[in-house]
Amino acid sequence: MKTIHKISTPLEGLQYLAGRYDVAVPADAKIQKDGLFSTLTAGGKTIALLPWRSERKFVELKNLTIDGTLKDISVLRSCHIDYDGTDMKKLLCRELDLAEWIFDAKLEYIFTMKNGKAANTVARLRNGIVCTLETAATLAPEAQTLDKHEIIASKGVALDKVVDTQIQQNSVYLYTDQPEPDAFTDTDFELYGLNAEDVALVRCALEALKDPAAAEKMNAQAARLEQLAELALRSAETGRKLIVED
């Protein structure tokens, strides 16, 4: 019987995958999840990672905008609620990057309204698509984060969640004599043991090691996203719509 290799940490996952795909991992390799962006340090360089681009649900949403399933897209609606204490700039960076990456277009303007730990952002891409982004940092540490994205078009609607659901469903539920069932979801058959967030982090880090050009693009985009997040918060302070200038 074949033994299943269980992964414990993102760095262990990166080393395991790199070995399977013949990618060199420098001895100083380190993955850190603190700060505005998770980072990979390798070969004396630090790379800002954009792991959400490696999540299957977002890859499939992007594919739907390319393969003709969705036509004449008008709106992206997103909601992301994270743990209390999470930096609002971190939440905005993720949602703003998803908007640009999914539709392969840059932002034209941003308008944000903020109330304490919650914010609503309206942004328009240069291809005319309007994005409404709800972000908040209000959840208890034990809670499951809330994350939902919906694309509306003249032909078709696409969501990354089952309709009328708020939290991510699991693949298997074990019902016993306890009040709540145990739940299990294996996100990636090669990275057994990691949750969805860490799987995406490892996949993104592997791509950065494989392709130095992709790593440079991620660093450049991370710097740009930080500026966009600051622009969104400045909009909230001034109550004005602000134009994005390259």
Side-chain angles (χ1 to χ4, degrees):
M1 181 180 293
K2 186 177 181 180
T3 302
I4 298 176
H5 184 81
K6 186 173 182 179
I7 308 296
S8 300
T9 66
L11 181 58
E12 182 186 345
L14 176 61
Q15 292 168 334
Y16 176 71
L17 268 193
R20 286 177 62 92
Y21 293 99
D22 197 26
V23 177
V25 179
D28 67 340
K30 180 170 59 175
I31 294 177
Q32 292 181 296
K33 299 168 69 174
D34 300 330
L36 198 59
F37 296 93
S38 296
T39 59
L40 168 67
T41 300
K45 297 181 179 180
T46 299
I47 304 161
L49 301 175
L50 310 176
W52 43 84
R53 294 187 178 190
S54 298
E55 290 189 43
R56 181 64 179 272
K57 61 183 181 180
F58 296 131
V59 171
E60 294 304 327
L61 276 183
K62 183 177 178 67
N63 287 340
L64 291 174
T65 70
I66 297 171
D67 64 11
T69 301
L70 301 174
K71 292 186 178 179
D72 300 324
I73 298 169
S74 58
V75 174
L76 168 70
R77 297 171 58 189
S78 77
C79 175
H80 184 68
I81 305 177
D82 217 311
Y83 301 115
D84 188 9
T86 304
D87 190 341
M88 181 60 68
K89 283 175 63 177
K90 186 173 184 175
L91 301 181
L92 286 168
C93 283
R94 178 182 187 265
E95 298 308 314
L96 292 171
D97 184 59
L98 280 172
E100 289 196 336
W101 176 71
I102 288 174
F103 301 111
D104 194 23
K106 299 296 185 182
L107 287 170
E108 182 179 21
Y109 71 71
I110 294 178
F111 175 69
T112 298
M113 295 173 289
K114 187 172 180 292
N115 184 4
K117 302 174 183 178
N120 281 351
T121 298
V122 178
R124 188 171 72 181
L125 299 171
R126 293 178 184 175
N127 59 8
I129 296 174
V130 175
C131 307
T132 60
L133 317 173
E134 300 177 24
T135 49
T138 55
L139 295 179
E142 301 81 11
Q144 181 178 342
T145 59
L146 304 181
D147 188 48
K148 191 170 185 177
H149 298 76
E150 179 180 13
I151 300 174
I152 300 173
S154 64
K155 178 187 176 182
V157 175
L159 292 87
D160 62 351
K161 291 282 188 298
V162 178
V163 176
D164 292 333
T165 61
Q166 295 297 321
I167 62 175
Q168 181 66 45
Q169 294 178 317
N170 288 285
S171 301
V172 177
Y173 294 90
L174 176 62
Y175 292 89
T176 60
D177 57 355
Q178 60 191 21
E180 296 293 332
D182 292 322
F184 305 91
T185 297
D186 292 333
T187 304
D188 190 303
F189 75 95
E190 290 183 304
L191 296 171
Y192 173 70
L194 297 183
N195 59 32
E197 178 183 338
D198 285 343
V199 165
L201 191 62
V202 170
R203 292 285 179 185
C204 183
L206 182 67
E207 182 63 26
L209 285 179
K210 287 169 53 180
D211 186 354
E216 291 181 8
K217 288 180 180 179
M218 279 191 278
N219 269 341
Q221 178 67 355
R224 183 172 181 277
L225 289 170
E226 185 171 1
Q227 294 178 343
L228 291 177
E230 291 173 352
L231 192 69
L233 295 178
R234 196 183 317 145
S235 171
E237 292 174 358
T238 61
R240 298 172 53 197
K241 177 181 77 174
L242 298 179
I243 304 299
V244 177
E245 298 180 358
D246 290 334

